[in-house]
Amino acid sequence: MITARRLPLLALLFAILWSPSVLAAGGDDAAGAVPAQVLSEQGRYRVEVRQVPEPLPEGEHFSLGLRVVSMDNPDAPLDASAVTVEAGMRHGRDQGFAHGMQSEPQVSARDGLILVEGLYFHMGGAWTLQVAIDGDDGEDRAWLTLPCCGG
């Protein structure tokens, strides 16, 4: 039974678990499904994953198709020139990567999507994409956690 004394605690717990910064992080390093979308850290943009190989390959180059929109204008996707992508493994780090990928992803536009090519996961585990966005609403970043190869 929830008492009046416990309501503030429950409200705090709910606020922490559902805050934009938790949603923006794209989850932790646990393996799971590729997220369909994540919010940027400051809640300015939404990054939608539109094309992804299933399962994600280990030891092979692959591409992702993303759609990035401003939360102020979600019907108008951003151009690829507003987006850069880095990838690595965080291994529990809150900031940055413990190590990077053995390739450098390239961003371009194709078929109405932002195409991220040249991704190469050289080992299994939870890889993270940092999507840096510089659009009309300012600079922001989103983090996508991608579980590679059942790791």
Side-chain angles (χ1 to χ4, degrees), residues 61-64 66 80 83-88 97 100-108 114-121 127-132 146:
H61 285 94
F62 68 96
S63 302
L64 292 177
L66 305 176
V83 175
T84 58
V85 175
E86 293 182 43
F97 298 119
M101 210 172 39
Q102 293 181 349
S103 65
E104 190 171 321
Q106 302 297 313
V107 177
S108 62
I114 295 173
L115 189 64
V116 183
E117 298 178 287
L119 294 165
Y120 184 88
F121 296 162
W127 287 85
T128 302
L129 262 59
Q130 175 189 286
V131 181
L146 306 174

Side-chain angles (χ1 to χ4, degrees), residues 58-77:
E58 180 178 354
E60 297 176 27
H61 285 94
F62 68 96
S63 302
L64 292 177
L66 305 176
R67 182 175 183 264
V68 180
V69 297
S70 164
M71 295 306 289
D72 289 338
N73 189 5
D75 294 328

